[in-house]
C-alpha cells in the first residue's frame, strides 16, 4: 500500500491526529497554514512518487524550502513508524539544530517533544523508547549507534540532512548506509543537501540496478539579494562587522540583521559592543534610531536562549518612533541549519572557525579560516527569505573571486580520525583503506589513528579490535579518555577520574569577565591544586557538589553554573556506562594517595601527550614529536614539574599546552612501556633523562620488568 500526496493532504486537514488519535488543537491548524506556503508542500505528490519507488533518494533545495522540518513528517505518513514499531531518523551536524528542529516539528505535529517526536544528542536523549517515532539526532549519535548495531534495525528511514556540510560523521554514515542498503532492502535512505549541485552524492550512490539514484529538487522561493563588497581588505573584521551593523541600523529600511562570526566569546563580546553603541545613539537622540536587540547563537547555548532567535524585533520606543531591529550574531549554524525568518541584511566577514588536524605533529587546532564560495553564497541567501535583501561582504570582490575555495573542504580531510576509526572497526569495517569513502582521507591520517589505537591497546598489531577496544568504543569519548576511565578502577580512583572526564567533556567552567579579571583570577587561585589542572577540575566539581549545586555560589566564584550542571549530567551518563560494563567505582580516602592514583590513571590514557621541561625558561618539549611548547596562561601548576601530561595542544600566538598535570617519569616507563621503549626514541634530552630514570629504577630492583608484565594485562 503506497501513500499518495492526496491522502496525506487529507490526513493533514483531518480533525484527528493520526499519530496520537487526539483531536488537533487550533494551534496545529495555524501552523499548518504556514507549512502550506513552503515549497516542499507544493511538491508533495512528486515526493511520494519518488519515495515510493526508490530506496535511496537525494534531495536538494534552497535553505528555508522546508526540507528539514517537512520531509521527515512526510516520511512518517508513508512509513507509519508508530504502527510498525520503527523510527524515522533525521541527522543534523549540530546539537543546537537537532534540538531546535525537534521542538519545531513536535509543535507542527501537535505532539509532545520527547514523546512522539524527540531528539538525541551526545549526553542528552530526549526520546521515549517505544513511543518516539521521529527522532532528530546529531550525525555523531547515529554513527555511534551504527557502530554498536550495524543493521540499524530500529529505523525504517534514515535521513542524512545537511550533507553538503561534509562533516566527518555524515561522510562515514554515507559509506555505512551505502553498504547497509544492500543488506536491508526495507531500509530507505534520504540524503538532503542545501546546495543545488548534488552531483557528488548522486555519483557516489551511483547506478543501482541500471537506474541512477533519483534527485528530488525542491524549488526555492528566494528573493534577489544585492551583494556589496568592500573596496579594500578589512584589517580587523570584528571592528568592521560592528561598524557595518551600525551603518545598517542607521541608514537602512526596517528588517533584521544576521551577522556571521566565528565563536562564542567573539559573539558575546560583539553583542555587548553593538548594544552599548546603539544605546548611546538612542540616548543622544531618541529620534535618530530605533532600539536594537542582539541575539547570540552558537552551539553551547541553552535551549531557551536559542529560541530567542525567533523572537520578533523590539517595538519602537514610543508610537511612531523609529522601528526596532533584531540582530542575530551567529556562528556558521545560521548558514543552512536554522532558517530565521525576517532577515533582510546579512553581514559576512568571510570567516569561520574550524578544527584542523596535523597528523605529522598530531595536533588539532581551532583556526579561523576563510569560508568557501559555496558558504558565502549560502550566507548571502539568508537575506532573501522574506523579501529582497542585501548582503555586505567584508572582503573585496577580487578576494572572493581568487582567494576563496569553491566548496567547503570535507572534514574527513582535516580531522583526527582516531575515534572514527575505532567506531568503524567496531562496526565491522575490515579494511579501512579500501572503505568506500565519499572522499578518502589522507593515508597518513589513517595511519596515525591506527597507531594511536594500537598504542592504547584498543586494536592489536593486526588491526583487530581487542576486548578493551570494544568497551572503549561504547563510551562517547575520545579514546584517550575512555582508556583512562577503563583503567581507573585499577588505581582505585574511578570516581575521581569519572569526574575529571566529565569536566573535560563540557564547555569552559571558568568565567573570566574582562572587567573583573583580577577578582576572577583570585577566585580561581583559591581552588587551584598546584600539582595539576586535572586535580583542580576535580576540586572545582567537588566544591560545586558540596555547595549543593548553588548557582549563586558558582557565580560568586566565577564559575559557570551551566557548565557545572552539564558536567554533573555527563558524569551520570558515563557512570551508567561504567556500571553496564561492571567497571568498579572506587575512591581512596587519603588525599595524597588519591592524587597520585589519579595521575597514574591519567598516564594510562594520555601517555602520548607528555612533555618534558627543557632549559630554564619554563619551556617544554613534547615527547617524541619534539615540539617546543609553553604552559598555557590558564595553567595553575606550581612549581613547574619536570614531566607533565597535557590534555590539549593549542596553537594561538604560539604553541601552548592546556590542562596540564605533573607526572613522574617512572610511571610512564611502567604504565606505557611499549610507547616508552627507549629504542624508539631519537637521541636528545628527553631520551637521556628517561635513561637516567630507567637506570635508577633497574638499579634498585627488577620491579619495572615485573610491573610491565602486570600492566600489560590491566591497561
Ligand atoms: P530547510 O531545511 O529546507 O532549510 P526548514 O524545514 O528548516 O527548511 O524550514 C522551513 C521553515 O520553517 C522556514 O521558513 C523556517 O523559518 C521555519 N522554522 C523552522 N524552525 C522554526 C522555529 N523554531 N520557529 C519558527 N519558524 C521555524
Ligand atoms: Mg534544513
Amino acid at each position: 500500500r503506497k501513500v499518495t500526496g492526496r491522502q496525506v493532504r487529507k490526513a493533514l486537514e483531518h480533525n484527528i491526529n493520526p499519530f496520537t488519535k487526539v483531536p488537533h488543537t487550533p494551534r496545529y491548524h495555524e501552523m499548518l497554514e504556514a507549512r502550506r506556503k513552503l515549497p516542499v508542500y507544493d511538491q508533495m505528490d512528486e515526493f511520494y512518487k519518488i519515495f515510493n519507488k526508490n530506496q535511496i533518494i537525494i534531495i536538494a533545495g534552497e535553505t528555508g524550502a522546508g526540507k528539514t522540518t517537512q520531509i521527515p513528517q512526510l516520511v512518517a505518513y508513508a512509513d507509519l513508524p508508530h504502527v510498525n514499531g520503527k523510527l524515522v531518523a533525521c541527522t543534523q551536524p549540530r546539537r543546537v539544530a537537532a534540538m531546535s528542529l525537534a521542538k519545531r516539528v513536535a509543535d507542527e505535529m501537535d505532539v509532545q517533544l520527547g514523546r512522539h517526536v524527540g531528539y538525541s544528542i551526545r549526553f542528552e536523549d530526549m526520546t521515549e523508547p517505544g513511543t518516539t517515532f521521529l527522532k532528530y539526532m546529531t550525525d555523531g549519535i547515529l554513527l555511534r549507534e551504527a557502530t554498536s548495531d550495524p543493521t540499524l534495525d530500529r529505523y525504517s528511514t534514515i535521513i542524512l540532512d545537511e550533507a553538503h556540510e561534509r562533516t566527518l560523521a555524515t561522510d562515514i554514515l554515507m559509506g555505512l548506509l551505502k553498504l547497509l542498503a544492500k543488506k536491508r532492502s526495507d531500509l530507505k535512505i534520504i540524503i538532503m543537501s542545501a546546495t543545488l549541485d548534488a552531483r557528488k552524492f548522486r555519483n557516489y550512490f551511483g547506478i543501482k540496478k541500471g537506474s541512477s539514484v533519483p534527485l528530488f529538487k525542491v524549488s526555492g522561493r528566494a528573493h534577489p539579494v544585492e551583494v556589496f563588497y568592500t573596496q579594500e581588505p578589512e584589517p580587523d573584521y570584528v571592528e568592521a562587522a560592528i561598524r557595518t551593523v551600525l551603518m545598517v541600523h542607521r541608514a537602512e529600511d526596517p528588517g533584521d540583521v544576521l551577522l556571521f562570526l566565528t565563536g562564542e566569546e567573539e559573539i558575546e563580546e560583539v553583542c555587548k559592543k553593538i548594544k552599548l553603541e546603539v544605546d548611546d545613539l538612542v540616548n543622544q537622540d531618541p529620534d535618530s534610531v530605533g532600539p536594537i536587540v542582539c541575539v547570540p547563537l552558537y552551539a553551547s547555548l541553552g535551549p531557551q536562549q536559542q529560541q530567542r532567535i525567533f523572537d520578533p524585533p523590539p517595538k519602537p520606543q514610543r508610537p511612531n518612533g523609529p522601528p526596532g531591529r533584531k540582530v542575530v550574531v551567529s556562528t556558521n549554524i545560521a548558514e543552512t541549519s536554522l532558517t530565521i525568518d525576517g532577515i533582510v541584511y546579512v553581514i559576512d566577514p568571510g570567516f569561520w572557525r574550524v578544527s584542523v588536524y596535523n597528523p605529522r605533529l598530531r595536533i588539532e587546532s581551532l583556526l579561523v579560516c576563510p569560508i568557501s564560495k559555496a558558504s558565502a553564497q549560502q550566507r548571502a541567501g539568508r537575506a532573501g527569505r522574506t523579501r529582497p535583501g542585501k548582503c555586505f561582504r567584508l572582503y573585496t570582490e577580487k578576494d572572493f573571486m581568487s582567494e576563496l575555495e569553491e566548496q567547503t573542504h570535507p572534514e574527513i580531510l582535516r580531522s583526527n580520525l582516531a575515534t572514527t576509526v575505532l567506531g568503524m572497526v567496531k562496526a565491522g569495517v575490515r579494511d579501512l583503506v579500501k572503505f568506500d569513502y565519499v572522499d578518502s582521507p589522507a593515508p597518513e591520517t589513517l595511519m596515525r589513528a591506527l597507531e594511536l589505537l594500537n598504542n592504547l591497546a584498543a586494536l592489536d598489531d593486526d588491526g583487530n579490535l581487542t576486548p578493551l577496544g570494544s568497551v572503549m568504543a561504547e563510551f562517547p569519548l575520545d579514546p584517550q579518555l575512555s582508556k583512562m576511565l577503563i583503567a581507573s578502577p585499577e588505581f582505585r580512583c574511578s570516581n575521581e577520574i569519572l569526574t575529571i572526564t566529565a569536566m573535560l567533556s563540557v564547555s569552559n567552567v571558568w568565567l573570566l569577565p574582562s572587567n573583573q579579571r583580577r577578582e576572577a583570577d583570585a577566585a580561581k587561585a583559591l581552588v587551584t591544586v598546584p600539582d595539576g589542572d586535572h586535580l583542580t577540575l576535580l576540586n572545582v566539581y567537588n566544591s560545586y557538589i558540596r555547595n549543593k549545586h548553588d548557582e549563586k555560589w558558582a557565580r560568586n566564584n566565577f564559575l559557570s553554573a551551566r557548565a557545572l550542571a552539564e558536567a554533573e549530567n555527563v558524569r551520570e551518563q558515563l557512570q551508567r556506562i561504567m556500571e553496564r560494563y561492571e567497571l568498579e567505582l572506587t575512591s581512596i580516602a587519603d588525599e595524597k594517595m588519591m592524587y597520585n592514583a589519579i595521575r597514574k590513571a591519567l598516564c594510562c590514557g594520555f601517555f602520548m601527550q607528555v612533555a618534558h621541561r627543557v632549559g630554564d625558561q619554563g619551556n617544554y618539549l613534547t615527547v617524541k614529536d619534539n615540539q617546543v611548547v609553553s604552559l598555557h596562561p590558564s595553567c595553575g601548576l606550581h612549581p613547574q614539574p619536570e614531566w607533565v601530561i597535557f590534555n590539549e595542544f593549542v596553537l594561538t600566538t604560539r604553541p601552548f599546552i592546556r590542562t596540564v598535570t605533573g607526572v613522574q617519569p617512572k610511571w610512564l616507563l611502567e604504565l606505557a612501556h611499549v610507547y616508552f621503549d627507549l629504542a624508539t626514541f631519537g637521541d636528545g634530552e628527553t631520551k637521556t633523562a628517561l635513561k637516567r630514570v630507567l637506570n635508577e629504577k633497574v638499579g634498585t630492583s627488577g620491579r619495572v620488568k615485573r610491573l610491565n608484565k602486570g600492566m600489560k594485562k590491566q591497561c
Side-chain angles (χ1 to χ4, degrees):
R1 255 186 9 224
K2 306 282 188 195
V3 164
T4 64
R6 222 184 68 181
Q7 287 169 324
V8 172
R9 271 192 299 271
K10 222 166 138 189
L12 282 165
E13 307 291 338
H14 203 270
N15 272 336
I16 303 289
N17 187 332
F19 297 101
T20 56
K21 310 280 183 254
V22 174
H24 283 305
T25 60
R27 185 169 148 73
Y28 167 86
H29 291 286
E30 255 168 55
M31 291 185 96
L32 185 61
E33 212 44 55
R35 291 165 62 193
R36 277 210 200 93
K37 299 197 182 92
L38 294 171
V40 162
Y41 196 94
D42 286 343
Q43 289 173 266
M44 207 185 285
D45 296 298
E46 189 192 346
F47 170 77
Y48 281 115
K49 260 187 213 137
I50 296 179
F51 183 77
N52 288 337
K53 270 205 303 243
N54 294 279
Q55 186 184 18
I56 306 178
I57 305 170
I58 318 281
I59 298 184
E62 299 253 357
T63 305
K67 296 184 298 301
T68 310
T69 52
Q70 307 307 307
I71 296 286
Q73 298 188 55
L74 297 188
V75 169
Y77 277 98
D79 282 10
L80 304 178
H82 60 303
V83 178
N84 300 326
K86 299 263 180 185
L87 280 147
V88 173
C90 178
T91 66
Q92 295 294 316
R94 296 187 189 77
R95 308 155 44 97
V96 188
M99 284 157 53
S100 160
L101 289 158
K103 165 124 190 4
R104 170 72 180 184
V105 171
D107 287 349
E108 285 187 3
M109 295 187 87
D110 220 3
V111 299
Q112 214 180 322
L113 177 67
R115 291 209 65 210
H116 303 89
V117 174
Y119 64 85
S120 184
I121 59 182
R122 191 167 84 135
F123 299 125
E124 192 182 346
D125 185 13
M126 264 293 265
T127 63
E128 196 176 291
T131 312
T132 301
F133 61 82
L134 171 53
K135 178 160 84 166
Y136 285 84
M137 63 207 298
T138 53
D139 49 5
I141 291 281
L142 185 64
L143 181 56
R144 202 152 260 298
E145 286 186 9
T147 62
S148 34
D149 167 25
T151 60
L152 292 169
D153 262 327
R154 311 200 280 144
Y155 300 102
S156 57
T157 295
I158 292 174
I159 304 168
L160 301 185
D161 198 5
E162 307 282 318
H164 63 276
E165 287 205 27
R166 304 296 310 278
T167 59
L168 177 54
T170 295
D171 263 24
I172 301 293
L173 279 168
M174 280 198 265
L176 294 174
L177 290 182
K178 188 176 167 182
L179 288 172
L180 187 56
K182 296 197 190 100
K183 290 188 208 134
R184 270 194 63 195
S185 57
D186 62 315
L187 176 71
K188 296 223 179 208
I189 297 160
I190 298 179
I191 312 292
M192 298 209 287
S193 155
T195 41
L196 293 172
D197 177 20
R199 230 175 319 174
K200 180 116 195 166
F201 305 125
R202 280 186 95 182
N203 288 342
Y204 176 71
F205 285 97
I207 313 284
K208 233 183 126 246
K209 292 194 195 116
S211 65
S212 69
V213 173
L215 174 67
F216 175 59
K217 264 199 184 180
V218 187
S219 53
R221 253 187 225 146
H223 299 272
V225 175
E226 201 178 345
V227 176
F228 300 89
Y229 294 92
T230 56
Q231 293 299 317
E232 298 292 326
E234 287 289 351
D236 178 348
Y237 71 84
V238 173
E239 184 270 328
I242 297 173
R243 187 165 20 92
T244 311
V245 171
L246 295 173
M247 183 273 289
V248 167
H249 190 47
R250 265 195 303 245
E252 298 283 349
D253 293 341
D256 297 333
V257 179
L258 173 59
L259 164 61
F260 287 99
L261 288 177
T262 66
E264 170 173 348
E265 274 166 45
E266 196 179 76
I267 288 171
E268 289 291 355
E269 194 73 31
V270 166
C271 281
K272 262 187 228 143
K273 282 192 178 150
I274 294 174
K275 181 94 185 102
L276 277 177
E277 297 260 359
V278 174
D279 284 353
D280 247 12
L281 288 175
V282 174
N283 285 341
Q284 276 168 24
D285 176 8
D287 285 326
S288 63
V289 292
I292 210 165
V293 169
C294 283
V295 188
L297 179 61
Y298 45 82
S300 58
L301 274 184
Q304 282 112 4
Q305 281 169 298
Q306 272 170 38
Q307 218 41 41
R308 285 182 55 210
I309 59 170
F310 298 108
D311 288 351
K315 293 223 158 57
Q317 274 197 323
R318 43 193 181 69
N320 299 323
R325 206 185 288 272
K326 176 171 75 177
V327 177
V328 178
V329 187
S330 171
T331 59
N332 229 17
I333 186 161
E335 194 175 293
T336 60
S337 295
L338 294 180
T339 307
I340 310 158
D341 288 330
I343 300 292
V344 181
Y345 306 97
V346 163
I347 300 169
D348 171 21
F351 292 103
W352 67 318
R353 194 154 64 159
V354 306
S355 152
V356 179
Y357 178 64
N358 177 335
R360 208 152 300 152
L361 301 178
R362 290 182 299 173
I363 301 168
E364 206 159 7
S365 17
L366 274 177
L367 301 177
V368 172
C369 295
I371 58 172
S372 66
K373 277 192 190 130
S375 271
Q377 256 134 23
Q378 285 294 340
R379 288 181 174 190
R382 303 302 92 243
R385 282 283 305 142
T386 17
R387 58 186 171 88
K390 291 182 182 175
C391 171
F392 300 93
R393 291 186 173 152
L394 306 181
Y395 39 92
T396 63
E397 185 163 16
K398 186 164 155 281
D399 280 350
F400 173 79
M401 297 308 286
S402 57
E403 299 295 316
L404 299 192
E405 304 246 2
E406 287 299 323
Q407 297 291 334
T408 305
H409 210 46
E411 193 181 3
I412 196 168
L413 303 182
R414 51 177 166 80
S415 295
N416 178 350
L417 297 178
T419 312
T420 309
V421 164
L422 181 60
M424 288 169 77
V425 175
K426 175 128 189 179
V429 175
R430 295 231 152 254
D431 190 334
L432 288 160
V433 177
K434 291 212 189 101
F435 183 76
D436 188 2
Y437 298 97
V438 185
D439 279 298
S440 298
E444 194 179 0
T445 311
L446 272 180
M447 287 309 299
R448 278 299 195 182
L450 290 168
E451 183 188 74
L452 173 92
L453 294 168
N454 180 238
N455 279 326
L456 290 171
L459 301 180
D460 65 19
D461 292 346
D462 301 320
N464 297 315
L465 195 67
T466 63
L468 171 71
S470 180
V471 180
M472 279 167 65
E474 292 298 322
F475 286 91
L477 297 169
D478 281 346
Q480 291 96 324
L481 287 170
S482 52
K483 171 69 181 283
M484 167 171 90
L485 254 186
I486 295 167
S488 62
E490 299 289 344
F491 303 94
R492 314 205 341 100
C493 60
S494 43
N495 279 316
E496 288 72 27
I497 290 291
L498 203 48
T499 301
I500 292 170
T501 307
M503 290 288 275
L504 290 173
S505 303
V506 300
S507 44
N508 193 4
V509 294
W510 309 104
L511 299 179
L512 295 172
S514 44
N515 54 349
Q516 284 176 294
R517 198 55 197 248
R518 196 148 348 123
E519 291 89 337
D521 283 340
K524 188 172 175 187
L526 284 179
V527 285
T528 296
V529 181
D531 297 328
D533 298 333
H534 295 87
L535 306 175
T536 300
L537 288 177
L538 174 67
N539 198 22
V540 167
Y541 183 85
N542 288 342
S543 309
Y544 168 71
I545 299 297
R546 266 200 310 277
N547 284 282
K548 307 198 167 48
H549 325 252
D550 186 8
E551 267 183 48
K552 214 157 129 202
W553 171 86
R555 213 171 323 118
N556 290 340
N557 288 279
F558 295 90
L559 294 165
S560 158
R562 197 185 72 213
L564 285 165
E566 209 181 310
E568 195 177 1
N569 170 40
V570 170
R571 192 184 186 285
E572 233 172 73
Q573 314 255 349
L574 292 174
Q575 180 173 337
R576 254 181 252 151
I577 305 178
M578 296 278 280
E579 283 161 359
R580 198 178 324 139
Y581 290 92
E582 293 179 358
L583 294 159
E584 200 189 348
L585 295 163
T586 57
S587 295
I588 302 171
D590 179 78
E591 188 172 82
K592 183 149 188 295
M593 277 169 68
M594 173 185 76
Y595 280 169
N596 275 346
I598 291 172
R599 294 191 292 167
K600 284 182 188 172
L602 270 174
C603 289
C604 277
F606 287 87
F607 55 82
M608 294 174 78
Q609 288 169 218
V610 172
H612 174 224
R613 201 180 60 213
V614 285
D616 46 15
Q617 305 293 317
N619 281 337
Y620 284 81
L621 203 59
T622 59
V623 162
K624 287 204 181 176
D625 297 326
N626 298 317
Q627 293 291 302
V628 179
V629 294
S630 322
L631 298 180
H632 192 264
S634 65
C635 175
L637 277 178
H638 187 79
Q640 291 193 7
E642 189 178 349
W643 296 86
V644 293
I645 260 181
F646 56 91
N647 184 56
E648 250 182 312
F649 185 125
V650 285
L651 200 61
T652 50
T653 44
R654 57 200 162 103
F656 286 112
I657 48 179
R658 187 159 59 191
T659 315
V660 186
T661 287
V663 292
Q664 293 185 22
K666 66 177 181 203
W667 297 338
L668 296 166
L669 292 168
E670 286 169 9
L671 301 173
H673 64 102
V674 179
Y675 190 75
F676 278 85
D677 177 358
L678 293 192
T680 64
F681 278 69
D683 285 334
E685 274 188 60
T686 309
K687 183 169 179 172
T688 315
L690 282 170
K691 241 186 197 156
R692 216 165 32 232
V693 180
L694 199 63
N695 288 341
E696 277 165 26
K697 286 294 303 176
V698 177
T700 50
S701 76
R703 230 181 111 240
V704 175
K705 245 188 204 152
R706 283 204 299 280
L707 258 173
N708 277 348
K709 277 200 186 122
M711 279 317 297
K712 215 171 185 174
K713 263 191 282 160
Q714 291 171 4
C715 284

